[in-house]
Amino acid sequence: HLPVTVIAGPCQLESRAHALETAQALKEIAARVGFGLVYKTSFDKANRTSASAARGLGLEAALPIFAEIRESLGIPVLTDVHSADQCAPVAEAVDILQIPAFLCRQTDLLLAAAATGRAINVKKGQFLAPWDMVNVVAKLNGADNDRVLLTDRGTSFGYNTLVSDFRGLPIMAKTGAPVIFDATHSVQQPGGQGTSSGGQREFVPVLARAAVAVGVAGLFIETHQDPDNAPSDGPNMVPLAQFEALLRDLVALDRLSKAQAAAAA
Amino acid sequence: HLPVTVIAGPCQLESRAHALETAQALKEIAARVGFGLVYKTSFDKANRTSASAARGLGLEAALPIFAEIRESLGIPVLTDVHSADQCAPVAEAVDILQIPAFLCRQTDLLLAAAATGRAINVKKGQFLAPWDMVNVVAKLNGADNDRVLLTDRGTSFGYNTLVSDFRGLPIMAKTGAPVIFDATHSVQQPGGQGTSSGGQREFVPVLARAAVAVGVAGLFIETHQDPDNAPSDGPNMVPLAQFEALLRDLVALDRLSKAQAAAAA
Amino acid sequence: HLPVTVIAGPCQLESRAHALETAQALKEIAARVGFGLVYKTSFDKANRTSASAARGLGLEAALPIFAEIRESLGIPVLTDVHSADQCAPVAEAVDILQIPAFLCRQTDLLLAAAATGRAINVKKGQFLAPWDMVNVVAKLNGADNDRVLLTDRGTSFGYNTLVSDFRGLPIMAKTGAPVIFDATHSVQQPGGQGTSSGGQREFVPVLARAAVAVGVAGLFIETHQDPDNAPSDGPNMVPLAQFEALLRDLVALDRLSKAQAAAAA
Amino acid sequence: HLPVTVIAGPCQLESRAHALETAQALKEIAARVGFGLVYKTSFDKANRTSASAARGLGLEAALPIFAEIRESLGIPVLTDVHSADQCAPVAEAVDILQIPAFLCRQTDLLLAAAATGRAINVKKGQFLAPWDMVNVVAKLNGADNDRVLLTDRGTSFGYNTLVSDFRGLPIMAKTGAPVIFDATHSVQQPGGQGTSSGGQREFVPVLARAAVAVGVAGLFIETHQDPDNAPSDGPNMVPLAQFEALLRDLVALDRLSKAQAAAAA
């Protein structure tokens, strides 16, 4: 029972300076609070609600920044890939390739990601049951990659709403893959603002607390120094100024939760 | 921030001896673990899937047993009522009247329950949003009863399945009513066995842990010394032999959770 | 394959004059368009969102009006009952007792209704699968009443929304009971206006057309000469002035649909 | 109000001979029954539940077969694309590019498809509300392609189940795009057989009838001479031997439905 790992960072890679600054701030918080940190940021938001929404810096500009964060700060980096041909070049610059939820059944993308040998974090599709993810793990394992992580980011529940079914965490853990709970996208309201997605930031701590009490290998929480002016996912990112207090509570809960699990085992 | 109260007992009142024995066992566990206990049992299962399923001892036989548990063991008793005319006699013998989820919008039943002056625990209908419960509280308050508790026992999610949306706990708490999480019926699979409801007992601890981490006034957990042979809700009751260990963990999580909430307030 | 029966009328019994006037108007439309008519109205809205909402004339005032409609206009009357003790007196005055969706699992209510010997129309609970209704039919049949009708009025879908699953109509028809589609309550948005339910009147024809094309014994459509000022269900009732044109189309679709079913059988 | 167009064919392109034979058979049925036919088949099943499931002939082998069907039989052809780089070559050989439901928010794929100038049929994601599709149409229109069709293939409803919300058809039609109802995939049970998806073929006629009664520009119905031995979607394809009788009924319903709509307009 390892302590919780936290995948954190701003939704989008906005600039080199912004990335380095945020990564540095998170590294300091991780050291003070005592959790493993993976820096997450996206070089391309490939499925925005609207075509006119900001998509990010793009792959070419992003890769050197990812490399710099890893080297200068010594933090592992995670980013998401959207097509098979992105997997190899991105794998050069990051530690974990992430498969977006909408794409979690795209066989070519999974196989290309698997072939890089990198760890792969697959988000459970909003349209899938937790037990369906065993097939996704099998696709990756079948391609000789067993460094698979599974992330829950909510399940479709009526229109423009997701629900987090916490029974899904132990169900997905039966695959043997470490299970992550994404508290940021689980409170998204897809399409909920007409031409963009809404979110309910106030429920990030609620769902993250539930997840660590149930037992997870990691948490995924996006953060930004000024979410209301962030180019994407603003409504569901946690302000950076509140991140440390939130994580302090979550890490304490996680420690108790894992001690109880260890005692019961 | 009071410690968690636990509403516990067998689904059905099976006999005087069984009730007293179970209540005594739970009282001892509560004393060892350190939680407030309310004894729950039903005198009538009024909405069984099938008409041929066992319904319980009935109101007349039950009331003296409820009274005896309260007097001889000093434990408060909760039971559910199904029609307006049951409220007054039942209120003589118990501390808390419970309104079943299917009936949470029946105005006459709510008003008759309110008129007894007893505390009223209303289960959120599986067909209602958590914010809809503000209207239920208003019906009771409008009848001069402000001793209202609200219980979440899951929300309809596709067919024969419920899901627990933990955002609902703080939403219902905004009404000012203490919020209870019912870990037993939240793992029910309504109608899931053709002529009776199924259940997933293994997820009771999962969801109960999530609830105390989020923060609740109480837990509702049915238990039985031999659930697989219980006349109702067997698939989702916790074996009495496992109850103490489960509660020990939950109470420790609750204590940490409430300490964090107090520090943040 | 009988032509479609239409259960129609205003949601609430507002007054004797209003009831007779509406029933007379519907009788004339039924004669012109050619469908069997059952007059529906409620003497009590027993589960309003808010306790301060209008509930109707009440049982005692309503029964003579029901009797008058049946005798003076020769139209069968349907009304809903909310407790076991209402069944016998109401059965004296109407042809069909209706069990509300929230109450479709309440055994005592079902048995009391069955004992009257009247036809019983049970609305499928929003929280039930269509195949679960076989148990409801069995409860009534087991009490020696085989004059059972089943009505679909939508299924919970996320919060404050219902969805109509048209696979449910043939599934429920397998019980042998005539199946009715309730186009009025299927477009309800439960609790959708804070202290009352909303509705989407524009989708009544959409869903009613789908139902007759799939094949139903009857339709349930509430109507009012001035829905926006009706005391309940205004947002989902069809204006009386549009009722004839709507039914003309539905009856023609039903005729073709049933001719096709007869040819295929 | 044009008569209904039917997009039909086997799920997978199995071989040149099989494709030509099925297309020829469908062409003869279309001529006898009187509907516009578009031949649909997939060169690659890119998101199978399991990596070991058959994926089809592949793009290079398929394009000449598509071209042959168009030229020798004079039938328009539709196929689905899974990545941006497939769009241009596939557009050379077919009349309509289809965007799979899981990919309906992938901006690069939409823009590449739009750039071909071909008609684009986008399937509504199971995780989207019908009104969310206005943003998809806007992405394509913004890329100077206004030849957009929208197809409903069901919406996530609990786990391993879809539901067809027929309110969605008129809602999507408000975008101005012709709306298609996919009766084959709407009865899919995603992941419902463990390592493959199940389906409920018996409900294809049920939902297709509902769709034409509500009003659609087209139907999408996969068919196969031996569905139980087809490499994919067997449980929800209609046997070719039953296709003509099914379509005869649907075309008659569509004719009446559109005559009524024309009279009301």
Side-chain angles (χ1 to χ4, degrees), chain A residues 102 127 156 159, chain D residues 99-105 122-130 132-133 136 151-156 162 172:
Chain A
F102 291 159
F127 44 84
S156 291
Y159 291 133
Chain D
I99 307 294
F102 292 159
L103 304 182
C104 73
R105 288 263 302 251
V122 190
K123 295 212 174 175
K124 184 187 80 62
Q126 300 88 334
F127 44 84
L128 285 186
D132 294 332
M133 293 302 283
V136 172
T151 295
D152 189 337
R153 49 91 81 234
T155 300
S156 290
L162 301 169
M172 291 200 292

Side-chain angles (χ1 to χ4, degrees), chain C residues 1 165-171 173 179 181 207-217 253-254 257-258 260-261, chain D residues 166 203-214 253:
Chain C
H1 290 296
D165 182 356
F166 287 97
R167 295 171 297 194
L169 302 180
I171 289 171
V179 172
F181 181 74
L207 298 185
R209 295 177 67 84
V212 294
V214 169
V216 283
L253 269 178
D254 175 67
S257 177
K258 285 181 177 149
Q260 292 181 344
Chain D
F166 287 97
F203 294 123
V204 169
V206 171
L207 298 186
R209 294 177 67 83
V212 293
V214 169
L253 269 178

Side-chain angles (χ1 to χ4, degrees), chain D residues 55-230:
Chain D
R55 288 187 51 166
L57 283 193
L59 191 149
E60 280 183 52
L63 297 190
I65 303 173
F66 292 156
E68 187 175 354
I69 293 169
R70 293 168 79 198
E71 281 155 36
S72 70
L73 298 177
I75 311 172
V77 170
L78 169 152
T79 200
D80 42 345
V81 287
H82 316 281
S83 60
D85 58 311
Q86 292 177 341
C87 293
V90 172
E92 298 291 311
V94 305
D95 302 85
I96 306 178
L97 294 179
Q98 181 168 286
I99 307 294
F102 292 159
L103 304 182
C104 73
R105 288 263 302 251
Q106 301 303 314
T107 305
D108 287 341
L109 178 59
L110 291 168
L111 297 184
T116 67
R118 287 292 185 194
I120 318 285
N121 180 32
V122 190
K123 295 212 174 175
K124 184 187 80 62
Q126 300 88 334
F127 44 84
L128 285 186
W131 48 84
D132 294 332
M133 293 302 283
V134 72
N135 294 304
V136 172
V137 174
K139 281 187 188 176
L140 293 166
N141 290 171
D144 287 324
N145 189 319
D146 58 3
R147 303 177 61 205
V148 182
L149 303 93
L150 297 178
T151 295
D152 189 337
R153 49 91 81 234
T155 300
S156 290
F157 178 65
Y159 291 134
N160 302 310
T161 310
L162 301 169
V163 71
S164 295
D165 181 356
F166 287 97
R167 294 171 297 194
L169 302 180
I171 290 171
M172 291 200 292
K174 279 189 197 161
T175 62
V179 172
I180 316 287
F181 181 75
D182 175 350
T184 298
H185 295 94
S186 295
V187 304
Q188 203 180 39
Q189 296 177 303
Q193 302 186 333
T195 57
S196 66
S197 290
Q200 300 176 301
R201 190 189 299 155
E202 69 271 28
F203 294 123
V204 169
V206 171
L207 298 186
R209 294 177 67 83
V212 293
V214 169
V216 282
L219 289 168
F220 180 112
I221 305 179
E222 291 184 352
T223 183
H224 193 276
Q225 85 287 351
D226 183 12
D228 292 337
N229 292 303

